[in-house]
Amino acid sequence: MFKTLKDAAKLAKDLAVAVRHDVEGKTEAAKTAIATVTDATGLTATRAPKLIFAMDATASRSASWAMAMELQSEMLAMAGTEGLAVAIGYFNNSHCGVTPYYFPNATLATTYMRTIQMLSCYTKIAQLLQAFESHARNPSGARVAIFVGDAFEDDVNAALAEAAKLKGYGFRVFMLLEGSNPSAERSFKAVAEATGGVFARFDAGAKPQLRELMQSIAAYTAGTLSIAHQGAFAEALKALPPPARK
């Protein structure tokens, strides 16, 4: 697919520019990047199970972002023989949205994530949930999203309204809260439940805990969740209907 990592990096940076300027891909710059990505990778045609991995990309989250890059790479590598394709979502001071493509491998997804700047802002979770809808409406789009964050500063009613729309498409959001924040925990739980997804909390900086949660969600998405996946969170996923697949 790519002769060198440099080729992958250039492609990811081109896509990053397109997404930041126009998440729907309507400008000429975005269309050029779309054509390049599609020709090189066949991203829009992939039939692999799909999910959206989304995070808070504000300035205080730099360490968590770096940890998540490593873990999403592991998550994709361990998601079963069928593999996963992943779209990346994030918000910061200058952007809130989801890539309109699904990266077919961990290298390209991680390279793209490295282009994203950490910029301070209030949370934009309701807006991010709205961005998920373009994928949810697509018959062959993702039906699962992971969101990792440590705060909830949105209007919870606005977020729940967006969550209810997603549930109507059979789209589940798994809300993962880093650290202890009782107010955020209530809102994270409410959003996850409103979509039919599941909430979980992990300790700040606890890579093994986040790894276990992400790998369980990846296995659920790929249809490979098994007895090997243990714990209350994995059991909650086993109780869910499988994601809709086209």
Side-chain angles (χ1 to χ4, degrees):
M1 184 179 296
F2 303 107
K3 292 181 179 179
T4 67
L5 183 59
K6 184 177 180 180
D7 294 334
K10 182 181 184 303
L11 186 58
K13 288 177 181 177
D14 288 345
L15 180 56
V17 170
V19 171
R20 286 183 189 132
H21 285 85
D22 184 359
V23 74
E24 296 297 331
K26 294 176 182 176
T27 65
E28 288 305 312
K31 289 177 182 177
T32 298
I34 289 167
T36 302
V37 171
T38 302
D39 290 346
T41 67
L43 291 175
T44 58
T46 181
R47 299 184 67 179
K50 303 178 182 72
L51 65 78
I52 296 171
F53 177 72
M55 273 195 73
D56 172 344
T58 55
S60 63
R61 302 290 291 156
S62 296
S64 296
W65 185 270
M67 177 173 70
M69 278 197 297
E70 178 182 341
L71 293 181
Q72 71 84 21
S73 180
E74 293 180 15
M75 177 184 73
L76 292 178
M78 298 181 67
T81 56
E82 193 171 6
L84 282 176
V86 62
I88 303 297
Y90 71 96
F91 59 79
N92 58 22
N93 189 49
S94 64
H95 175 82
C96 180
V98 183
T99 59
Y101 315 101
Y102 298 92
F103 298 107
N105 60 62
T107 298
L108 189 54
T110 302
T111 302
Y112 172 76
M113 290 179 72
R114 289 195 180 109
T115 71
I116 295 169
Q117 293 179 296
M118 304 289 108
L119 300 172
S120 296
C121 71
Y122 291 108
T123 64
K124 300 177 182 179
I125 294 171
Q127 189 178 342
L128 189 63
L129 294 171
Q130 185 177 39
F132 292 166
E133 192 176 343
S134 62
H135 289 261
R137 288 197 307 264
N138 185 338
S140 60
R143 290 295 179 272
V144 174
I146 301 171
F147 176 75
V148 181
D150 67 349
F152 192 101
E153 298 158 329
D154 294 63
D155 178 340
V156 68
N157 291 322
L160 291 175
E162 296 299 336
K165 292 179 187 177
L166 293 172
K167 186 175 182 179
Y169 292 107
F171 188 104
R172 303 178 192 277
V173 182
F174 297 92
M175 300 288 289
L176 308 183
L177 176 66
E178 181 173 10
S180 180
N181 182 330
S183 176
E185 180 169 333
R186 288 191 294 272
S187 297
F188 272 49
K189 278 184 178 178
V191 168
E193 291 172 1
T195 69
V198 181
F199 162 82
R201 189 189 71 79
F202 64 100
D203 296 334
K207 186 186 293 187
Q209 293 177 17
L210 181 57
R211 176 186 289 113
E212 182 177 337
L213 296 172
M214 289 175 61
Q215 290 181 356
S216 291
I217 297 169
Y220 167 76
T221 305
T224 58
L225 199 60
S226 70
I227 194 170
H229 299 90
Q230 299 292 321
F233 184 75
E235 293 305 315
L237 268 59
K238 291 174 187 177
L240 297 175
R245 295 276 296 275
K246 294 289 183 180

